[in-house]
C-alpha cells in the first residue's frame, strides 16, 4: 500500500466567546483536516491545529509522505518526535496550545501518524485502538468543560450560531451552564476553566458547583497559570474539600518551580489535592525535572502535540512507573479529533482521569464527519467496531469549513487580540494576574 | 479474524557447556514455541523460555486466547503487564532469566503478544516492525557473545553436536573463540561473559581482546553479579581504557545499592564506564529507585520478559527521557526469538548498543525455522519485507525438538545442578564469589 495523495484542508469552525487567562476565543476556531489517500483508494484522515503554520508544516512534508507506505512512514519520520528537550519560556505558559514552537514537529508528526493509522485501520477493517495494542476499555469518559463566557454562540454575520448556553459570567450562570451540559451529555466529572474572574468568585463557583451537583462529582479547576504561588495556596486551601475525590488543581501558577512550591505548601498543610498540568510539562524533556521537584501529580497529555498516539502510550507508561496520574487536554475541535482522543484513550490502560473535551462548544453546523456529531452518552464516547477512527468525512461540510476559513480573517489563534478587540482595548495577558 | 487454535510446543535444543556465575549450561536448553492459528488458516508464531512452567502458564490462558481477535487480545490481557512492582531477592540476581517468578506474567504476555503480531503481520502482509510504529533501521546490530566453556558442542549420546568452538578456559582460548565468531558473523562489538575465572584472569582476557581486536571494537564484560563492590571497582579501574568507547561493565555486583556504590566510586576516580544491567532492573517497578541512585546507566531489555515488544518500546522511551542507554539481553534461543528481537529493535529508535545474542551457540540441527538458520551478516540481522517475523516453522524440525524434549530429563534451567553434576559436586552459586 502506498500513499498517492495528501490533502490538507484548512477550515474554520464557529466558536463561542469563551474566556480564559489567555483571553477570549475568536468567533472562529481554526482546524486542519488531513487526508491520506492510498493507491487502492482508501482514505485515512486526521484533524489537528489550524491556521497557516500547521498547514504549511504538513505541506512541507508532502514529498516525503506521497509515495510512502503508511506502515513505514511513522518510522521513517520518527526523528520528528525524537529529541524534543525541556520547555522554555516560549512554551504554552505564554502561547496557546498549537502555537508552542517547541512542539511544532511533534504536532506535525501526530497528524500524519493518526492519518496513517486511520488509513491502515480502514484498509484492514480494524479500529485504530486495536492497531496500537488493543482496547482496554470500550467507553472513554470525558469531563464537562464549563467556561465563563460572553453572550453568543460563535460565527459572524449571517453565519452566526445559536447561543446554546448563553452568557455565563457569574457563579450562578456557570452552574446553570454545567447543569445544561450534564443533562445533555451525562458527564460524570467537571473541569472548570478559571483564571478569568477574581479568585474569590472562582472559589465561590466551585463551592456552588459542589453544592448543586452533590458530593460525588469530581471537580477540577484550571486557571491557566493566572495566579501567584500565594493565591494558588489560598485557593488550594479554600477548595481542599471540593477538589478532593478525583478532583485536581490544574496549572494554578506558571513554571515547574512555582508548581513545586505550591505543592510543598499545600502538603505542609496536609492538603493533598493533586496538581495537574498541560503547561509546565508539555514534552518528555520536561519530566525529569518535574519528578525531581514533585511539581506535578497529573499530566494532561494530548496526542495532537505530544507526537501522536504511540507517544501518548509511552507517556502513560512513564506516568504509571512514577506514580503520576494521566488525563487528556483538549482544544476546540471536531469529531475526527475527538475520535482520535477516544481511540488512544481506549488503548491506554493508565488513564486515571476523564479526558477534557471542548466538543460541546462546537455546533452540528460545523461538524465535518458523516452523519453529524459524534455521540457522547453518559459522558462517554463509545468505541465501536468501525474501522479506523470510526468516522468518514462529509465533503460538503468540509467544503463549508474551507469556505469559512477563506472568508474569515483568522490565520492563527490569538486570544489576546480578541480580548482587545471585543472586551478591553488595553487588555494584555499578565502572569500572574492575581 | 479469530484465533481458533493455540499450540504450545515444548522443545529442547542442544547447548554447549557454557559457563557463567550461574553455573554451567545443561546439554540441552529448553524453549517453547507457540502457534496461534486463525480462522482463515494463518499461523502466528513466537518463541519463549522453555520447560514446564512457561508452557503451563500459556496453557492456562488457552480458554481466553481461543476465540479471541488477535488485534484485541493484547488489550484484553493487558492486566498481565500492568502493575508489576519492584524486584526482590527472588529475582534474576539469584535465578536465571526465565525462572524469575516476578516476571512470570509478563513472560506469558510477551509470548502471546508476539504470536498475535506475527499472525496480524502475516494476515496483512506486513513485517512486525512496521506494525508497531515502523522500522527506524533495516539492519539490527548484535554483539559477539563469547563464554568460557568446556569442551563439547551440546546434546547427549547419539545426539551430540560438533564442538565448533572448542574448550575455552584461558584468555588465549577465549580470544580465539571471539576471532572465530567474528570471522563467521562479522560482529562489530564483543560482550564477554565473565564471573567464571579469577577476576585477574578476566581482566587479562579483556586486555588481550583489546590488543588482538584493535582499539575500535567496543568491549563489554558481564560477570553476573559475581563480584564484591571492592572487586568491581578494582576491575573497573583496571579496564577503564578497555571498556571505554562503547563498552560497559554489566552487573558486576548484586543489587541497586551496590551498583550505585560501584558507580559512585568509579566516578570519583573519573572513570565513566557505564554500568549495565539485566539483573538489578528487570521491570518498570525497579526504575525509579535506580534513577534516584544513578545505579545503572544502561538497561538490557528483553521483550521475552519485559512484557513484549510494546513494553520494550515504552522502556526505550523512558530510558531516552532519563538519559539511560538501552541494549538487549538474550538467552539460548532459535530463529523465531532472534527475529522477534530484531523486529522490536528495528522499531525502537533509542537502542544505543548492539544487542546480545546466544545464537552462534546453537546448531543448524536444532533450528525450527524453514530454510535453516537466520543469517547474521556484518554482525547484523537484516529486516526484510517478509510478513510477520519473517520466518515460518519447519514442522519436521519442530517435531525433532519436541522429541528431544520428551527424551531429555530437563524441565527447567538449573545451571547450579549442572555444575555439580559435571564439574564440582560441591559447587554452589555464591554471591559475591570474589
Amino acid at each position: 500500500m502506498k500513499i498517492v495523495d495528501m490533502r490538507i484542508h484548512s477550515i474554520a469552525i464557529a466558536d463561542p466567546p469563551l474566556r480564559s487567562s489567555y483571553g477570549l476565543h475568536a468567533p472562529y476556531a481554526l482546524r486542519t483536516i488531513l487526508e491520506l489517500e492510498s493507491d487502492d483508494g482508501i482514505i485515512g484522515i486526521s484533524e489537528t491545529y489550524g491556521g497557516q503554520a500547521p498547514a504549511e508544516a504538513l505541506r512541507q512534508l508532502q514529498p516525503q509522505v506521497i509515495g510512502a507506505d503508511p506502515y513505514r512512514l511513522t518510522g521513517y519520520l520518527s526523528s520528528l518526535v525524537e529529541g524534543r528537550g525541556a520547555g522554555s519560556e516560549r512554551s504554552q505558559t505564554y502561547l496557546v496550545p498549537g502555537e508552542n514552537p517547541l512542539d511544532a514537529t511533534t504536532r506535525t508528526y501526530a497528524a500524519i501518524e493518526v492519518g496513517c493509522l486511520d488509513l491502515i485501520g480502514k484498509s484492514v477493517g480494524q479500529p485504530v485502538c486495536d492497531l496500537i495494542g488493543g482496547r482496554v476499555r470500550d467507553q472513554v469518559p470525558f469531563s464537562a468543560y464549563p467556561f465563563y463566557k460572553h453572550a453568543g454562540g460563535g460565527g459572524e454575520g449571517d453565519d452566526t450560531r445559536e447561543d446554546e448556553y448563553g452568557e455565563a459570567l457569574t457563579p450562578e450562570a456557570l452552574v446553570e451552564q454545567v447543569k445544561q451540559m450534564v443533562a445533555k451529555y451525562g458527564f460524570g466529572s467537571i473541569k472548570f476553566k478559571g483564571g478569568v474572574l477574581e479568585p474569590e468568585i472562582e472559589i465561590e463557583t466551585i463551592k456552588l458547583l459542589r453544592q448543586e451537583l452533590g458530593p460525588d462529582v469530581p471537580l477540577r479547576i484550571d486557571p491557566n497559570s493566572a495566579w501567584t504561588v500565594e493565591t494558588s495556596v489560598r485557593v488550594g486551601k479554600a477548595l481542599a474539600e471540593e477538589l478532593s475525590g478525583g478532583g485536581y488543581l490544574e496549572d494554578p501558577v506558571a513554571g515547574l518551580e512555582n508548581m513545586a512550591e505550591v505543592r510543598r505548601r499545600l502538603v505542609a498543610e496536609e492538603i493533598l489535592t493533586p496538581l495537574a498540568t498541560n503547561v509546565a510539562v508539555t514534552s518528555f524533556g520536561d519530566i525529569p525535572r518535574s519528578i525531581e521537584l514533585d511539581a506535578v501529580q497529573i499530566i494532561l497529555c494530548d496526542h495532537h502535540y505530544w507526537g501522536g498516539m504511540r507517544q501518548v502510550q509511552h507517556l502513560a507508561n512513564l506516568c504509571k512507573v512514577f506514580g503520576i496520574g494521566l488525563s487528556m487536554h483538549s482544544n476546540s475541535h471536531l469529531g475526527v479529533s475527538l475520535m482520535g482522543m477516544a481511540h488512544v484513550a481506549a488503548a491506554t490502560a493508565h488513564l486515571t482521569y476523564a479526558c477534557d473535551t471542548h466538543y460541546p462548544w462546537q455546533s452540528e453546523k460545523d461538524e465535518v464527519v458523516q452523519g453529524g456529531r459524534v455521540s457522547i452518552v453518559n459522558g462517554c464516547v463509545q468505541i465501536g467496531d468501525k474501522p479506523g477512527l470510526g468516522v468518514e468525512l462529509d465533503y460538503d461540510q468540509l467544503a463549508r469549513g474551507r469556505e469559512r476559513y477563506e472568508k474569515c480573517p483568522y490565520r492563527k489563534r490569538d486570544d489576546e487580540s480578541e480580548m482587545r478587540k471585543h472586551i478591553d482595548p488595553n487588555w494584555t495577558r499578565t502572569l500572574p494576574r492575581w
Side-chain angles (χ1 to χ4, degrees), chain A residues 225 229 232-233 248-267 271-282 285-300 319 322-325:
Chain A
S225 318
V229 168
S232 303
V233 172
Y248 56 70
L249 178 56
E250 180 180 339
D251 289 315
V253 283
L256 285 175
E257 272 71 13
N258 287 331
M259 290 286 278
E261 176 67 14
V262 171
R263 172 70 174 170
R264 267 195 301 278
R265 289 178 53 182
L266 288 177
V267 168
I271 294 166
L272 300 180
T273 306
L275 302 187
T277 191
N278 76 296
V279 167
V281 176
T282 63
D286 299 319
I287 291 179
R289 182 76 179 139
S290 175
I291 290 175
E292 204 180 315
L293 295 171
D294 188 27
V296 163
Q297 292 74 51
I298 299 164
I299 293 174
L300 281 89
C319 285
F322 288 94
I324 299 169

Side-chain angles (χ1 to χ4, degrees), chain A residues 19-24 195-196 414-421 423-431 433-434:
Chain A
R19 288 283 299 276
S20 76
S21 93
Y22 289 105
L24 174 70
V196 174
D414 185 349
D415 292 13
E416 200 173 1
S417 300
E418 289 302 306
M419 262 310 267
R420 283 199 281 266
K421 212 186 304 174
I423 312 291
D424 174 357
N426 300 314
W427 198 87
T428 54
R429 187 164 191 236
T430 308
L431 293 184
R433 185 174 300 276
W434 292 283

Side-chain angles (χ1 to χ4, degrees), chain A residues 191-206:
Chain A
K191 150 89 170 253
F192 161 52
K193 179 62 84 184
V196 174
L197 303 181
E198 291 289 331
E200 293 312 317
I201 301 176
E202 302 199 343
I203 289 171
E204 194 190 329
T205 304
I206 287 280

Side-chain angles (χ1 to χ4, degrees), chain A residues 377-388:
Chain A
V377 178
N378 295 325
C380 291
V381 169
Q382 167 87 29
I383 299 291
D385 295 329
K386 288 186 187 162

